[in-house]
Amino acid sequence: MLQDLLEGAGRSIVFGLVGIGLMALGYVLIDILTPGRLRDLIWADRNPNASLLLAANQLGIALIVFTAIFTSYDSFGRGLASTVIFGLIGIVIMGLAFLVLDWMTPGKLGEVICTPERHGGAMVSAATHFGAALIICACIS
């Protein structure tokens, strides 16, 4: 029983580190898609649009990781691989969804996200990120 507990704890640490790594990649994606430094926009400027978009991105990635772990294979290695693969696919799909939305709307979406006043485009973009994550989650299960 103690061995099972330790094995489960070890797996939790590994999956947790993978999840944090994927969420860090999601942060980098948003930083690339928006002009300026994301850390300054959110923590110094307290920009509500950038905060909303990053929050949706992080929740979406966490949901993908959760779904991949929850539906994980009996094999730890296969479960870990599926978590990494689906997480990376989710990040790419979120980035593509942002670019498609940017193409479909007037102006530059990244610049809209950086405006200090709340903007409806940020809500739509956040919903697009989260929706892309839900699509990936549905593909996992």
Side-chain angles (χ1 to χ4, degrees), residues 36-99:
R37 295 186 65 196
L38 189 59
R39 63 180 289 158
D40 293 338
L41 284 169
I42 293 175
W43 283 274
D45 301 340
R46 298 178 184 222
N47 183 296
N49 300 315
S51 300
L52 178 63
L53 180 59
L54 181 61
N57 175 274
Q58 296 293 279
L59 286 171
I61 293 169
L63 188 60
I64 292 169
V65 170
F66 168 82
T67 305
I69 293 170
F70 191 73
T71 61
S72 191
Y73 299 97
D74 291 335
S75 162
F76 173 66
R78 288 177 62 190
L80 188 59
S82 71
T83 301
V84 170
I85 290 167
F86 282 112
L88 291 173
I89 290 170
I91 291 168
V92 169
I93 295 297
M94 286 180 192
L96 288 173
F98 183 93
L99 295 173

Side-chain angles (χ1 to χ4, degrees), residues 49 52-53 56 97-98 101-102 104-105 109 112-113 119-132:
N49 300 315
L52 178 63
L53 180 59
F98 183 93
L101 183 62
D102 185 37
M104 294 174 66
T105 56
L109 189 55
V112 166
I113 299 299
H119 193 286
M123 289 191 294
V124 173
S125 184
T128 301
H129 271 254
F130 197 72

Side-chain angles (χ1 to χ4, degrees), residues 17 20 25 51 76 84 90 100 136:
L17 291 173
I20 290 169
L25 283 175
S51 300
F76 173 66
V84 170
V100 168
I136 301 302

Side-chain angles (χ1 to χ4, degrees), residues 1-13:
M1 180 167 143
L2 181 60
Q3 183 174 348
D4 290 341
L5 182 63
L6 292 175
E7 187 176 310
R11 289 180 181 195
S12 295
I13 291 168

